[in-house]
Amino acid sequence: MAHGYVDIKPALLARLSRAEGQVRGIARMIDEDVYCIDVLTQVSAATKALESVALALLEDHLAHCVAEATAEGGPVAEEKLREANAAIARLVRS
Amino acid sequence: MAHGYVDIKPALLARLSRAEGQVRGIARMIDEDVYCIDVLTQVSAATKALESVALALLEDHLAHCVAEATAEGGPVAEEKLREANAAIARLVRS
Amino acid sequence: MAHGYVDIKPALLARLSRAEGQVRGIARMIDEDVYCIDVLTQVSAATKALESVALALLEDHLAHCVAEATAEGGPVAEEKLREANAAIARLVRS
Amino acid sequence: MAHGYVDIKPALLARLSRAEGQVRGIARMIDEDVYCIDVLTQVSAATKALESVALALLEDHLAHCVAEATAEGGPVAEEKLREANAAIARLVRS
């Protein structure tokens, strides 16, 4: 079943491919004894890349899955909102 | 030139290899139209994995590079502290 | 005009009153030259208290303002979703 | 016993006084049923203010308490580094 993010799938996959390359690059830096601060700078960049994937996914989830459920109302809406809020809390605290 | 993290290099590389696998796994989930919330859960897990790499690197940097510089004092110490504080601020805000 | 959070207003105000007391307490610790790490522990606690207020507000906003707007659809829904996503991004990055 | 932050005490107390005012202002907004997104914007601002206090405290702690301990070396240095790393981890995860 396609989800809200089907329209942005190519963009998400491109970002994830870059993030994967960043993580591989960090491993190479460590393998080559690169200075700690330069490695840390790359780790922050990779973390931000993953964060932008999460925010894009969340945006689509709210606009599609959650919006459809809240239009329906009742327990379906409550569960979708509960899930979305738990995902937001995890993001805020990671 | 080996840095403070030389002792924990194998552990860092193992964690990064896992994080790389997690990012690849997230791409696969998106490719297979997995439910948004389940993908978001994995993105939070991969973000936490990168965070633990950063905190381990920072720990070693403070215990070695920064400690050696502050023992020496003067501009070398100031620069090392400036760099470390900037890296901590980036981590806190990513 | 009452908003979604009207039902949890007393709880939000109680948490904010505690957070205000925590911030005042941190100032007192600094005034009394308390050890840095103990002050930092309190700052993290006050930050978490504010975060829990933000997450509770966001929860109600999604369940009421955003849900009503997405049921209506069109530009009203788009603007409400845009605002909510921007608020979530600010929270994730603060 | 004065700590590293004694030099920046006035600046820290000024920031905390502003943060306290921000938290009080958020309570007033909620009391007056201000729109959720506008309240959330203020909560993010107050969180950032507390974060800047924490980063300033940490900076001084590393430059004074931790630097003195690492110059001495041995268990004193280990404990100070352990404490600092735990404080940084709390900050990163709050």
Side-chain angles (χ1 to χ4, degrees), chain D residues 35-84:
Chain D
Y35 182 47
C36 328
I37 293 291
D38 297 333
V39 183
L40 278 165
T41 303
Q42 285 309 310
V43 174
S44 286
T47 306
K48 277 217 182 271
L50 287 178
E51 226 172 59
S52 74
V53 168
L55 290 171
L57 275 168
L58 196 55
E59 233 172 85
D60 262 272
H61 185 59
L62 293 178
H64 297 93
C65 313
V66 177
E68 284 150 28
T70 51
E72 191 182 322
V76 169
E78 274 160 37
E79 175 55 14
K80 277 287 188 268
L81 284 165
R82 191 199 57 72
E83 272 182 348

Side-chain angles (χ1 to χ4, degrees), chain B residues 34-83:
Chain B
V34 169
Y35 182 47
C36 328
I37 293 291
D38 298 333
V39 183
L40 278 165
T41 303
Q42 284 309 309
V43 173
S44 286
T47 305
K48 278 220 182 270
L50 287 179
E51 226 172 60
S52 75
V53 167
L55 289 171
L57 275 169
L58 196 56
E59 229 171 89
D60 261 272
H61 185 59
L62 292 177
H64 298 92
C65 312
V66 177
E68 283 149 30
T70 51
E72 190 182 322
V76 168
E78 275 161 37
E79 175 54 14
K80 276 288 189 270
L81 284 165
R82 190 199 58 72
E83 273 182 349

Side-chain angles (χ1 to χ4, degrees), chain C residues 13-86:
Chain C
L13 291 174
R15 271 193 233 179
L16 283 164
S17 165
R18 274 200 306 277
E20 192 187 324
Q22 285 174 303
V23 175
R24 228 183 349 261
I26 294 163
R28 209 168 32 245
M29 289 172 93
I30 286 181
D31 206 38
E32 293 163 3
D33 292 314
V34 169
Y35 181 48
C36 328
I37 294 291
D38 297 332
V39 183
L40 278 165
T41 303
Q42 284 310 309
V43 174
S44 287
T47 306
K48 277 220 182 273
L50 286 179
E51 225 171 61
S52 73
V53 167
L55 290 171
L57 274 169
L58 196 56
E59 229 171 88
D60 261 271
H61 185 61
L62 292 178
H64 297 93
C65 313
V66 177
E68 283 149 31
T70 51
E72 191 183 320
V76 169
E78 275 160 38
E79 175 55 13
K80 277 286 189 266
L81 284 165
R82 190 199 58 73
E83 275 180 348
N85 292 319

